[in-house]
Amino acid sequence: MDFRKLTDEYFDQYIKDLNDLVSIESTRDVEHAAPNAPFGPNVAKALETMLEIGKRDGFETKNYDGYAGLITLGDGEESVGILGHLDVVPLGDGWTKNPLAVTEDQGYLYGRGVLDDKGPFLAGYYAMKMLKDLNVPLKRKVMLIAGTDEESGMGGIQEYVKTGPIPTMGFTPDAEFPVIYGEKGNLHITLDSDQPSIIEDFQAGTRPNIVIAKADAILKTDQFDEDLYNFFLNTNGLKGKGWVEDGKVHLYAEGKAAHGSLPYMGINSGVLLLNYIANAYNDKLAGELYELLKDWKGVPEGIDVNGVYMGFLTMNPGIITIHDGHAHVLIDIRYPNDTEPEKILKGFEEACADFAKDITPAIAYAGKPLFVDPNSKLVKDLMASYAKYSGDTFSPAITIGGGTYAKMFDNFVAFGPEKPWVRPPKGVQVGGCHEADEGISVDALKEAIAIYADAIVRLANE
């Protein structure tokens, strides 16, 4: 059967369901946590909305205390899993479209979550729905698992695995095509210091996995050279302004957000602002932090590794704060399976001992890399489904720096929904994951639904 043709018949309803999900600002909000809403009321609402869609279409559903949801199709001792998430990163600024509604423009859909990960997750659901409606025979049970805290530590799925059923194999539709058989390990390094500084207050970054777009600083001085600051902004591709108020210098810098696994795609205003303060005001703390943070490969720490399968280690200083005399930095590092957290920490310790003795590094979190044999049956089956509906028989299975839910289960990989080499037409602005005007093409989503339907049939019957 032609799943791509069938997708057209379902797509109008898909858009309506996607809009219902996107309209919910499902960011983590533990301050308002409650029973069955551990990550806040909006995340719980998104989960319930998805489960109601499943009930509407006749699926069996279950809510695991607000940590995750399960929608199942068929029976069998073995199972095929599709694992995605319904939480999103903060909306942020700079949108030209409504971030809480699905907007279609020039063949693209826009809205927070249409790409990461409400749109792809719903594509997996609609693949299941087509198979159910057509009564396609399946030998294995199909399990669609909705996570709720992927963007902030994967706490929801960590709770789910304590009581919920675990699929035999499967994929997460939360990355890129073709199959992603390897993901770098995720490591959070903190830097802390109480050394004196001209900086009274410094606030930059919202999440460790987002390149810092905006940074604000207040300095304990009234000396300010506006021309010098504007020169700094212009030469570093930044926007911003500086001024003197109540005898103190206020500095604002705006760079470009990007996913933390791709720090070279953004402009980290926090790190660059430290460099300005270090040089314009001869500030030792700012200078030392900048030297530690300036290179996305970690060259100053000697942790720059180019992995055989996974490529370069990357590091993103995602949060930088200085307040009440204490400096704190949270660095998001994605490392290949050629190194390990202890070696990376040692590199920071040696760098601090060499030129930043008043700064203390530590490990805040360490997650292992994912690696599935690229010659395994799982990878080959998914590659066959991808080739059938994309027509791409050239591109190989790949590895990435981003961390997905595939790490949570054995025999899981990341799979779609985008082809990273396909760019929007000239003049069409489309934001990526975690960016303003987050978007994905209509054709990419339709193709993903067809690929996922074919993949489920292959995995559930062989």
Side-chain angles (χ1 to χ4, degrees), residues 434-456:
H434 303 179
E435 296 180 358
D437 286 343
E438 174 184 339
I440 182 172
S441 77
V442 170
D443 286 343
L445 279 172
K446 288 183 175 180
E447 186 174 273
I449 294 172
I451 291 171
Y452 294 153
D454 190 83
I456 292 169

Side-chain angles (χ1 to χ4, degrees), residues 84-98:
H85 65 94
L86 298 172
D87 61 308
V88 295
V89 299
L91 303 182
D93 299 322
W95 287 78
T96 64
K97 309 287 194 301
N98 183 352

Side-chain angles (χ1 to χ4, degrees), residues 276-290:
Y276 172 79
I277 296 170
N279 288 281
Y281 294 94
N282 195 30
D283 188 79
K284 183 173 180 288
L285 172 63
E288 291 177 352
L289 287 175
Y290 175 74

Side-chain angles (χ1 to χ4, degrees), residues 295-460:
D295 186 86
W296 63 264
K297 293 181 183 177
V299 172
E301 293 80 14
I303 59 174
D304 47 314
V305 178
N306 188 3
V308 173
Y309 284 100
M310 299 183 181
F312 281 107
L313 174 149
T314 64
M315 60 179 257
N316 174 60
I319 297 176
I320 306 172
T321 61
I322 300 174
H323 188 69
D324 289 338
H326 181 77
H328 177 77
V329 180
L330 180 55
I331 308 167
D332 183 278
I333 294 175
R334 312 297 173 105
Y335 65 94
N337 57 350
D338 308 72
T339 187
E340 55 191 22
E342 291 74 18
K343 290 182 180 179
I344 297 170
L345 176 62
K346 184 178 180 181
F348 274 91
E349 290 173 339
E350 292 177 348
C352 289
D354 184 33
F355 61 84
K357 292 182 174 60
D358 293 321
I359 297 175
T360 302
I363 292 178
Y365 168 80
K368 296 179 180 180
L370 163 76
F371 187 81
V372 175
D373 185 350
N375 294 311
S376 66
K377 190 174 186 303
L378 171 63
V379 173
K380 288 184 175 181
D381 280 347
L382 294 178
M383 286 294 289
S385 293
Y386 165 76
K388 178 179 177 179
Y389 281 96
S390 70
D392 177 12
T393 58
F394 175 78
S395 300
I398 60 175
T399 65
I400 61 169
T404 75
Y405 268 155
K407 291 180 178 178
M408 302 306 296
F409 299 148
D410 292 335
N411 208 25
F412 255 67
V413 295
F415 190 43
E418 284 196 308
K419 304 184 186 80
W421 58 88
V422 176
R423 305 294 186 203
K426 186 176 181 180
V428 178
Q429 300 298 319
V430 183
C433 293
H434 303 179
E435 296 180 358
D437 286 343
E438 174 184 339
I440 182 172
S441 77
V442 170
D443 286 343
L445 279 172
K446 288 183 175 180
E447 186 174 273
I449 294 172
I451 291 171
Y452 294 153
D454 190 83
I456 292 169
V457 173
R458 288 178 192 270
L459 296 179

Side-chain angles (χ1 to χ4, degrees), residues 156-210:
I157 290 300
Q158 290 173 9
E159 288 297 320
Y160 169 84
V161 298
K162 295 177 181 178
T163 56
I166 307 302
T168 308
M169 69 190 79
F171 61 88
T172 178
D174 188 20
E176 298 170 350
F177 284 130
V179 177
I180 295 171
Y181 65 88
E183 299 177 8
K184 294 174 184 175
N186 190 201
L187 175 67
H188 287 175
I189 293 283
T190 57
L191 303 177
D192 288 275
S193 179
D194 293 316
Q195 66 175 293
S197 171
I198 198 172
I199 302 172
E200 179 177 290
D201 191 79
F202 194 103
Q203 302 295 326
T206 57
R207 295 280 180 90
N209 62 344
I210 305 176

